[in-house]
Amino acid sequence: MQVPVGEGALVCTGPAMALPSAGLLPGLLLVADAVALVLLVPLVPVLTPLGVAGVWLEAALRLPVLTVATWLLAPRRPPGAIAAAFTVAATPAAFGTFRYLLGLSGAGPGLLAAASPAWLGVTHVAAVLALLAWAPPPVPGGVPETPSNVPKAPGTVRRVLALTWEERNVLGAAVLCLVLAAIGETLGPYVTGKVLDAIRSGDGLTAGAVGMVAAAGATSVLFSGCRGCFFLLLKARLRQSLSLRLFSHLVHQDLDFFQGTPAAELLARFSTEVPRVCSAAPTGANQLLRSLVMALVVGAFMVGLAPGLALLALLEVPLGITTRRIQSAREQALQRSMLEASARTASGVQESVGAIETIRIFSAEEEEEKQHSCNLAKELKLKEQMELEMAFFTLVHRMLHLTIRVLVLFQSHQQLRDATITAGVLVTFLLYQDTVGSHVQVLLYGFNEFLTNAAAGQKIWEYLDRKPTRDVGGTREPPKLQGHVTFQKVSFTYPGNPERPVLKDVTFEVRSGEVTALAGPNGSGKSTAVALLERLRDPESGKVLLDGIPLPEYEHQYLHRKVVLVEQDPILFSGTIRENILLGLEHCKESELQEATTAAGAMDFIQGLEQGWDTEVGEYGGRLAAGERRRVALARALLRRPAVLILDEVLDDGDEAAAQRWVRSGLAQTVLVVSHRSRVLDAADCLVVLEHGAVVETGTSAELRERCGAYSRLLLGGGSTEAPRMGSEEGTASGRE
């Protein structure tokens, strides 16, 4: 615990900001309490005859003064300030009541205003314990701090409970079985004690008594099994629901989100955090509700059997909650750090495996091994810290449990000698004590586990709360499109490099029924223009029109069925060739499939494969050659008969006439070709030449050659007159340019 430095100066910032205030709070409460007690001295003669009621009335009169004192620390008042004030006010009254109900000899503290000053010190030690229990712990060394925009634990708990409530039918059935099982489990020790007293009194063991014991046990076993089945079903349904919701939300995010979030991190959320979040409520309810019901019912039976022993035995509950709260806060902080460290390790492994050829080329194996070793070492350090703290707190809990048990045995011995309880009552009480002790431990551990698992979903809820910046609320779905594209003074700059505009007032047309080629040196903005036409991004200024209508006005799925992009290195999905070509099309005639595949030039190599259409392409199409993947992607695009077909470095020499054939046959209304190959460019009906993000020439290939301008320089330079700038946004957006 840190203390103030100088005159009110506070040390630390960020998450540990509460610790200096927490260090100042006990002293402030001590002064405020001393003032309150001085003011209460005249009321001692009035409160003393009231007994226990007078003690609690004194506590009620001190509480407002203590609460007002905590306001002096605003706005840096620690989270446990109010809890500490209540603890200071209630400790003397609770202790006096406890001694009175136990019937212990000797005078209790009575009124704090009339007691020894030592009692004031004892009271404020309890306040320090409250602060330790409720103030957030310091962030461990080397552990990244939680960003301010990440939801905190109470928010995650609320979200988990709301998610669970959606399956309230299954939850209700599980809770019903839980209550019935708890009733059967509770009746077992009670019936056992009654049977023992009957035997001792000479009544003997009867069939009815045995039947009652058996019935209680059978009820507990039967409904415990049903309870477990329902909670497992609830966990499975929650996992399915949350996984689907998270995936559906992520696929609608902007490209900037995926470029800034490693795929391994997203995979870790699905494989690690979703199961933990979905197990929080079912496991917590299974453990916590059962243990809470059992602890309350068994506690009530214990109070009915022996009130004094019950109060002594149940003293373990508040002490256990205090230590468990401290452990829970520590474990949640370390658990968040472990999840972040695991995500970084997984991301590093995926990045290294994906770039293994580059690592081999530059002999960077040792550097990658060192980085991976460093990531693993950080994980191990956090894991060791978690295990050490868990061992320490386990020792504390067990010592606390042992101490309470010894006190109960000592007190029960005294009551047996005084004949205030019978042997049967003592056996029943000890059985109940074991039961309630185990359930209190489950409550403490289960609540901690529930909070930890719920806190594991902070990133999940952050993803679900993230809203795409682009508007995808268009509604237009015309029955037919001409495929006429217009760029009107379009400008665009990537967020990561705002000082370098990629497109500057770009204006050109792609006319329907024609093949238009987009040419230019590397870094001139061709791929960015394609991304804008595909509406993967939106322009900062200007408009991109399709048949005279801005792209945002079209319905999202409709637009991407009509404007189709085929890239130089297309992505195929795991599955067969047929499944990849038919991707997203539920109903398609075999004749249409054959026509599109033949037009794409893929039929020959497909028929030459041993399994033909049913050949597995592997992950990302890795079992096919690059050219074969392009042919499959072309067939996939042509099968949709798009209004605008975009070919980004797809056509090779010898394929230059293919685009014209597709337009004439009606497989595509309009074709936009991006290429560096002169033969492909010469075959286009119109050329648009870009340089430094601006349109510098438009016209046919023959016209542009005669001008001896930018297009001629491009051809003389071999199609690559300007190298991409290292780290440029367009370079990162398209590795081809």
Side-chain angles (χ1 to χ4, degrees):
M1 182 178 297
Q2 298 181 6
V3 296
V5 177
E7 297 182 2
L10 296 176
V11 186
C12 296
T13 57
M17 182 66 76
L19 292 180
S21 299
L24 181 63
L25 182 60
L28 182 62
L29 290 177
L30 181 61
V31 174
D33 205 11
V35 173
L37 292 175
V38 171
L39 297 176
L40 287 174
V41 168
L43 296 179
V44 170
V46 178
L47 298 176
T48 301
L50 299 178
V52 175
V55 173
W56 283 102
L57 183 57
E58 181 193 46
L61 294 173
R62 290 165 52 227
L63 181 60
V65 179
L66 297 171
T67 304
V68 171
T70 64
W71 295 346
L72 298 178
L73 295 177
R76 296 178 177 178
R77 183 173 58 179
I82 300 299
F86 272 98
T87 303
V88 168
T91 297
F95 187 79
T97 305
F98 184 71
R99 287 181 60 89
Y100 173 77
L101 294 176
L102 280 178
L104 298 178
S105 58
L111 294 174
L112 189 61
S116 168
W119 284 107
L120 188 62
V122 172
T123 299
H124 287 271
V125 169
V128 174
L129 290 177
L131 284 176
L132 288 175
W134 294 103
V139 178
V143 177
E145 298 181 2
T146 303
S148 59
N149 61 341
V150 175
K152 300 299 185 289
T156 60
V157 170
R158 177 179 55 81
R159 301 286 289 268
V160 169
L161 295 178
L163 176 68
T164 307
W165 183 248
E166 296 176 5
E167 301 291 340
R168 50 187 172 273
N169 293 334
V170 180
L171 178 63
V175 171
L176 177 61
C177 293
L178 183 150
V179 172
L180 295 175
I183 292 174
E185 188 175 348
T186 305
L187 290 177
Y190 181 78
V191 175
T192 302
K194 291 297 184 182
V195 170
L196 182 60
D197 280 338
I199 294 174
R200 186 178 181 185
S201 64
D203 295 339
L205 188 64
T206 64
V210 174
M212 291 176 63
V213 175
T219 301
S220 175
V221 171
L222 174 63
F223 288 104
S224 291
C226 295
R227 176 203 69 204
C229 291
F230 278 118
F231 277 118
L232 288 176
L233 176 61
L234 176 62
K235 180 179 177 180
R237 297 185 68 163
L238 289 179
R239 181 171 182 177
Q240 178 189 19
S241 174
L242 183 58
S243 296
L244 179 59
R245 185 179 304 178
L246 179 60
F247 182 82
S248 300
H249 194 79
L250 289 179
V251 296
H252 291 91
Q253 295 299 315
D254 303 324
L255 290 181
D256 293 335
F257 169 78
F258 293 100
Q259 291 176 354
T261 307
E265 179 180 333
L266 296 178
L267 181 61
R269 308 301 175 197
F270 280 97
S271 62
T272 303
E273 296 184 19
V274 168
R276 292 195 60 183
V277 171
C278 294
S279 69
T283 304
N286 191 9
Q287 294 179 349
L288 298 180
L289 288 180
R290 173 177 175 269
S291 297
L292 180 61
V293 171
M294 289 295 298
L296 292 177
V297 174
V298 173
F301 271 93
M302 291 171 65
V303 172
L305 292 171
L309 291 179
L311 289 174
L312 185 59
L314 296 177
L315 182 62
E316 181 181 354
V317 175
L319 298 177
I321 289 175
T322 299
T323 55
R324 175 54 59 183
R325 176 64 180 84
I326 300 172
Q327 180 184 1
S328 175
R330 292 288 307 168
E331 190 171 348
Q332 287 183 51
L334 289 171
Q335 186 64 50
R336 289 194 298 269
S337 304
M338 275 292 297
L339 291 173
E340 295 294 336
S342 299
R344 286 197 301 269
T345 302
S347 177
V349 171
Q350 185 182 44
E351 185 176 349
S352 298
V353 172
I356 190 65
E357 293 183 2
T358 305
I359 293 174
R360 291 282 173 83
I361 291 173
F362 291 97
S363 301
E365 291 89 349
E366 293 185 2
E367 287 78 0
E368 293 298 316
E369 291 175 5
K370 290 179 181 178
Q371 182 62 44
H372 187 60
S373 175
C374 180
N375 291 337
L376 291 177
K378 292 178 181 179
E379 281 193 65
L380 179 60
K381 182 178 180 181
L382 289 170
K383 185 65 175 177
E384 290 176 346
Q385 188 172 353
M386 289 179 66
E387 296 298 334
L388 287 174
E389 293 192 8
M390 181 178 294
F392 171 75
F393 281 108
T394 300
L395 177 62
V396 171
H397 292 310
R398 292 183 177 177
M399 291 298 297
L400 178 62
H401 180 70
L402 178 61
T403 302
I404 297 297
R405 176 173 286 275
V406 171
L407 292 175
V408 168
L409 290 175
F410 177 79
Q411 184 66 20
S412 63
H413 174 69
Q414 296 293 330
Q415 294 191 10
L416 277 175
R417 291 179 59 182
D418 298 338
T420 57
I421 60 173
T422 65
V425 169
L426 178 58
V427 170
T428 302
F429 184 88
L430 293 178
L431 289 174
Y432 276 148
Q433 185 186 5
D434 287 336
T435 301
V436 78
S438 63
H439 286 301
V440 167
Q441 291 299 318
V442 171
L443 276 174
L444 297 177
Y445 281 95
F447 186 68
N448 175 54
E449 183 180 5
F450 170 73
L451 290 181
T452 302
N453 289 337
Q458 288 183 348
K459 275 290 185 180
I460 295 177
W461 306 123
E462 183 181 355
Y463 289 158
L464 290 175
D465 290 337
R466 189 182 191 278
K467 303 297 183 183
T469 56
R470 296 190 310 120
D471 178 20
V472 292
T475 58
R476 287 183 178 268
E477 296 184 49
K480 188 175 181 181
L481 287 177
Q482 298 298 320
H484 186 92
V485 177
T486 305
F487 276 65
Q488 287 185 351
K489 295 184 177 181
V490 172
S491 297
F492 182 81
T493 303
Y494 284 99
N497 196 359
E499 297 180 355
R500 179 177 177 265
V502 181
L503 296 178
K504 296 173 286 188
D505 290 331
V506 169
T507 300
F508 65 87
E509 287 185 284
V510 180
R511 290 186 289 271
S512 176
E514 294 185 356
V515 177
T516 301
L518 199 59
N522 293 331
S524 60
K526 302 186 299 297
S527 292
T528 301
V530 169
L532 295 178
L533 179 54
E534 264 290 311
R535 223 199 152 202
L536 300 178
R537 299 182 182 276
D538 288 329
E540 292 181 355
S541 62
K543 296 180 181 179
V544 181
L545 308 177
L546 177 59
D547 286 2
I549 300 173
L551 294 184
E553 296 186 17
Y554 286 99
E555 198 275 331
H556 179 72
Q557 294 183 352
Y558 172 85
L559 176 66
H560 287 90
R561 288 196 302 266
K562 297 300 182 180
V563 181
V564 180
L565 168 66
V566 182
E567 298 178 291
Q568 183 180 20
D569 190 14
I571 297 295
L572 301 184
F573 296 92
S574 298
T576 65
I577 291 178
R578 179 185 295 273
E579 290 171 346
N580 272 276
I581 295 178
L582 294 176
L583 180 67
L585 296 179
E586 297 181 359
H587 305 289
C588 179
K589 297 180 180 179
E590 186 67 22
S591 59
E592 295 176 346
L593 176 63
Q594 299 280 347
E595 180 185 10
T597 307
T598 302
M603 183 63 74
D604 292 340
F605 93 82
I606 293 176
Q607 292 178 342
L609 296 173
E610 182 177 352
Q611 296 181 343
W613 294 93
D614 297 323
T615 300
E616 293 284 339
V617 302
E619 187 176 8
Y620 299 117
R623 295 184 181 180
L624 301 180
E628 293 172 343
R629 290 198 298 271
R630 283 198 296 270
R631 299 296 177 184
V632 172
L634 276 171
R636 181 169 61 188
L638 294 174
L639 183 59
R640 285 149 178 77
R641 297 181 178 266
V644 180
L645 175 62
I646 308 171
L647 306 175
D648 194 354
E649 300 289 355
V650 173
L651 299 180
D652 298 326
D653 291 337
D655 295 336
E656 60 272 8
Q660 296 287 357
R661 291 198 304 270
W662 298 334
V663 171
R664 289 195 299 269
S665 63
L667 288 174
Q669 295 281 105
T670 305
V671 176
L672 176 62
V673 176
V674 179
S675 180
H676 288 95
R677 299 178 180 274
S678 60
R679 293 178 61 180
V680 174
L681 296 176
D682 289 342
D685 296 312
C686 181
L687 281 170
V688 178
V689 182
L690 295 175
E691 266 191 2
H692 304 295
V695 176
V696 291
E697 287 184 333
T698 58
T700 64
S701 175
E703 293 172 349
L704 298 184
R705 287 176 182 272
E706 291 179 1
R707 296 178 188 175
C708 297
Y711 182 63
S712 299
R713 294 195 303 272
L714 182 67
L715 297 179
L716 292 175
S720 181
T721 60
E722 181 181 325
R725 299 182 182 179
M726 184 66 66
S728 69
E729 285 298 319
E730 179 147 350
T732 58
S734 173
R736 298 177 302 281
E737 292 200 60

